[in-house]
Amino acid sequence: MTGVARAWRELGINGTGVKLCAVDTGVDWTHPELGNCWGTDGCAWQLGKDCIGDVYGNTDPPEIVPNDTPMDCGGHGTHVSGIMAARGPSVFGVAPGATMGMYRVYSCDTPEGGASTSDDVIMDGMESAHADNCDVINMSIGAMGWSEDPLAAFAAKLVEAGSLIIASAGNDGSHGIHTISSPSDGHGVLSVGSVDNWNVTQMGAVFSLPDGDRSVQISNAASNHVRFLFNKTVPLVLPDDDTGNYYGCESADSDYDGKVVVANNGGCDYTTIAQNVQDQGGVGLIIVNDQEGTFEYGVGEDITIPCISVSNTDGKAIISGLEQGDGTVMATTSTFAAIDSGFDGGRMSNFSAYGPSPELDLVPHLVAPGGNIWSTVLTSDDVYRSSSGTSLSSPYVSGCMALLRQRFTNYTNPQLHQALISAATPLVDTNGLFVNPYRTGAGLVNVYKALQSRTLIDPPYISINQTRMDGKKRTYSQIIKLTNMDANNAANISLSHSPASSMTLYQNNTYAPLLLTDSLVPIWPPDSNSVTWDTLPQAFLPNSEQRVEAGQTIEFNVTVTAPYGLPESERWYFGGFFNFSVTFDDETQSTHFVCPYAGFNGEYTQIEMLGPKSQGYPSFSDSNGRPIDNVSELTIDPSDDLPTFNYTLDVPSIYSYIALIDRDNKTAGYLPGSDRTRLSRTRPAMNETNSIRVNNTVELDDKTIILGDGEYSLRLALLRPFGNRDDDNDYVYWNSDYFSFGK
């Protein structure tokens, strides 16, 4: 699959001698699987610092009071650290031999909820990791954005200066195309998406019942954070209530003393059940879910007993056993339960963000396990936990990169990128085609193949930012270089092409219903019966069979033809893979490498940027959020409640402004705050909009003026992709009906 265990076992490579660092929430270095040490001889943790302290965000202005070590108080960085380099025995990271560094850039939780940080604090962490000569820097940080965003631009500068930065692609994938996060779209940063794990591991418990023992997955602790730990067997009991449904909602004189109660879900709120159990001497509560899977739930602050859940299948089996006789449960810190995740294992996680970047760069570059990842968390919390997010696939690839750095000490950072990306395994969709690279990059990371590779492919991926018209077809040409890194053996190279599925957000000139209801992005072809040659990207490979001598570089000419059988009005994003079959003279079997490509099927500089009109935007709404249907009859009293102008974006825009236009079609002024840069695509399933209050106070020629009563139109201007900010012809304009300012 990813080849990590094989790299340890067969090659003896575990990251030894590599400085593997993270910019994150900190690390609970007291965790037994993370070394329980800081900075001492032989300790894994030799690098890092606290850049923020605990109280940042709780003071006005924010105050940085750093601690002596980057101790984690949120758990995110500890989970990331376990994935990168946990030493075992319960959790093994990808590079358990690496020298570790942590640069804490998040405070503890604020009263408003959640940890606090700022770009300048994060940059301090990034710069400190760079100054400490970290070989690999992981950043499981980000939000939808641009390569020009501060963190992405700063990351690109550090990459230019020699840092190797790997970042999470983001978790907005349920909203479809153009949801990639910054800084992962920074130039030179390696962006990582997520696949679901093949196994789902959680804390477990062993139930001894009349019909035998049963190892069961249990949920994380309820909101009171009391862990479900019993080092010796504890008796189980079903609730004694009149309903016979085992809800546990009645405060009866039941014999719960010293026992764990197993109750069905749905009878009443969880605090009531837990309080009854606690008042009657019970030492724990297990809620049986009314559907598959476990879940975490909330209980009142007076609840001091552990409260967890089990799946419907496991719960029914436990109840059935207890109906036959007595039973017990035991759960220790080393009791885990893993189940096969079935069909979802190895498939793209629904949350994993889609490319491309706002400028059509191919991102993410790779995918790795990030869904249902078992790793370390705070020792004051659950110690171990299964979580999901591209925050967890990124450190997996960072660990893989540490293994490559250990082996290829003479490679440049771009060469390490090339080695890891080209060795990936493309994912196959349900229609039998490869998944679009804007979703998966080159595919699932395979570090063992990368470690064994003797060839480098440059570029490792192709971003088709713009096609050219060749008759009625759009084409793009590129030279791909392949370098033989073996100083002694030549190799025969065969190049072929595999198309991938195309993607869109649209169906019948509006958002696809499945995107809004089920977070499913339409693909073409939808099934194998719909495949026709003209609806797939094609490739012309004039020199596809070549031989490369030892230590030499050869060039391949490739030309891609966009899928001209797909209507450009439907806004399809296409892609595919160039496949390199490499057979060295000292081998009998070939090894296969890939170079993914992707682009837009149309003239991206002329794409419609606003969301479809069927969604009801652009629009005006009153101060209560109610739509204003007839803008031409709108009179705005500047001294009264102001209306709001709302619009949605289907494509990111690097720059926009909103002007008020008088009856002579002249610009009367610009709405303050409407001059915006680096706008992301809005997310329709969330009914997300860009909004601004409409007032007669405007800005013009560096002055603030108040417009007199009269009629004005609102003009929204959006700079097109790759447009010149100073060229009026490079904007998309939308004009409202005329409305009035007055009493």
Side-chain angles (χ1 to χ4, degrees), residues 306-582:
C307 302
I308 51 100
S309 72
V310 296
S311 72
N312 184 259
T313 297
D314 288 329
K316 284 182 176 179
I318 294 168
I319 289 174
S320 176
L322 293 177
E323 288 175 336
Q324 301 173 40
D326 295 337
T328 61
V329 64
M330 183 171 69
T332 70
T333 55
S334 58
T335 307
F336 314 120
I339 60 172
D340 191 312
S341 59
F343 179 80
D344 291 333
R347 294 185 176 273
M348 286 302 300
S349 304
N350 183 58
F351 56 77
S352 187
Y354 286 73
S357 78
E359 290 145 329
L360 282 187
D361 291 331
L362 199 164
V363 279
H365 304 122
L366 287 167
V367 294
N372 302 311
I373 305 301
W374 182 252
S375 186
T376 49
V377 292
L378 303 180
T379 53
S380 60
D381 197 352
D382 291 329
V383 185
Y384 309 97
R385 182 175 295 169
S386 185
S387 299
S388 296
T390 58
S391 281
L392 314 182
S393 55
S394 179
Y396 196 99
V397 170
S398 293
C400 290
M401 194 63 83
L403 303 187
L404 258 68
R405 173 50 74 201
Q406 180 186 354
R407 185 174 181 89
F408 299 120
T409 56
N410 62 328
Y411 275 21
T412 64
N413 288 344
Q415 287 177 321
L416 291 177
H417 279 222
Q418 293 168 27
L420 197 60
I421 291 172
S422 66
T425 305
L427 303 188
V428 177
D429 218 324
T430 53
N431 57 14
L433 288 179
F434 288 133
V435 180
N436 192 291
Y438 281 148
R439 184 76 166 120
T440 68
L444 179 66
V445 66
N446 186 333
V447 70
Y448 180 82
K449 184 198 281 190
L451 289 165
Q452 294 288 76
S453 170
R454 290 182 275 175
T455 58
L456 292 177
I457 296 171
D458 183 27
Y461 54 88
I462 299 172
S463 301
I464 302 178
N465 301 95
Q466 194 67 28
T467 53
R468 64 181 177 85
M469 290 302 295
D470 185 4
K472 294 184 178 180
K473 301 176 183 178
R474 294 187 177 275
T475 64
Y476 178 88
S477 296
Q478 174 84 43
I479 292 175
I480 304 177
K481 297 179 180 180
L482 184 145
T483 300
N484 182 355
M485 302 300 289
D486 191 315
N488 302 308
N489 295 284
N492 293 315
I493 314 296
S494 179
L495 174 63
S496 63
H497 169 256
S498 297
S501 299
S502 294
M503 309 183 301
T504 184
L505 299 175
Y506 275 75
Q507 188 174 337
N508 298 324
N509 297 315
T510 188
Y511 288 127
L514 286 178
L515 174 68
L516 302 178
T517 59
D518 298 324
S519 301
L520 295 177
V521 172
I523 62 172
W524 184 272
D527 55 66
S528 57
N529 297 324
S530 303
V531 178
T532 57
W533 182 254
D534 63 338
T535 62
L536 299 177
Q538 303 161 29
F540 175 57
L541 313 172
N543 55 344
S544 60
E545 301 289 336
Q546 296 192 56
R547 182 171 174 82
V548 59
E549 298 300 325
Q552 298 300 305
T553 298
I554 57 175
E555 294 183 351
F556 291 88
N557 299 297
V558 301
T559 297
V560 175
T561 299
Y564 53 89
L566 294 178
E568 292 189 2
S569 61
E570 295 180 358
R571 307 189 196 184
W572 291 98
Y573 293 75
F574 66 92
F577 295 83
F578 294 111
N579 312 299
F580 294 84
S581 178
V582 180

Side-chain angles (χ1 to χ4, degrees), residues 7-86:
W8 300 340
R9 185 175 60 251
E10 297 181 18
L11 305 178
I13 295 176
N14 66 356
T16 298
V18 178
K19 297 177 182 178
L20 178 56
C21 304
V23 178
D24 215 294
T25 66
V27 59
D28 184 352
W29 48 262
T30 67
H31 199 293
E33 313 250 352
L34 297 175
N36 192 21
C37 59
W38 182 268
T40 56
D41 290 342
C43 179
W45 296 96
Q46 294 293 332
L47 303 166
K49 71 173 188 177
D50 185 352
C51 303
I52 193 166
D54 297 345
V55 299
Y56 187 94
N58 291 317
T59 59
D60 187 15
E63 185 177 5
I64 295 176
V65 185
N67 298 301
D68 292 336
T69 68
M71 177 58 72
D72 192 2
C73 57
H76 185 276
T78 302
H79 205 275
V80 163
S81 299
I83 295 167
M84 290 197 296

Side-chain angles (χ1 to χ4, degrees), residues 587-603:
E587 293 179 331
T588 57
Q589 291 187 333
S590 300
T591 306
H592 302 280
F593 300 93
V594 297
C595 175
Y597 70 87
F600 176 71
N601 186 37
E603 187 66 37

Side-chain angles (χ1 to χ4, degrees), residues 258-280:
K259 299 176 182 178
V260 172
V261 176
V262 181
N264 273 321
N265 192 22
C268 55
D269 66 89
Y270 304 119
T271 298
T272 297
I273 304 171
Q275 193 68 61
N276 288 339
V277 172
Q278 182 171 294
D279 290 346
Q280 295 165 58

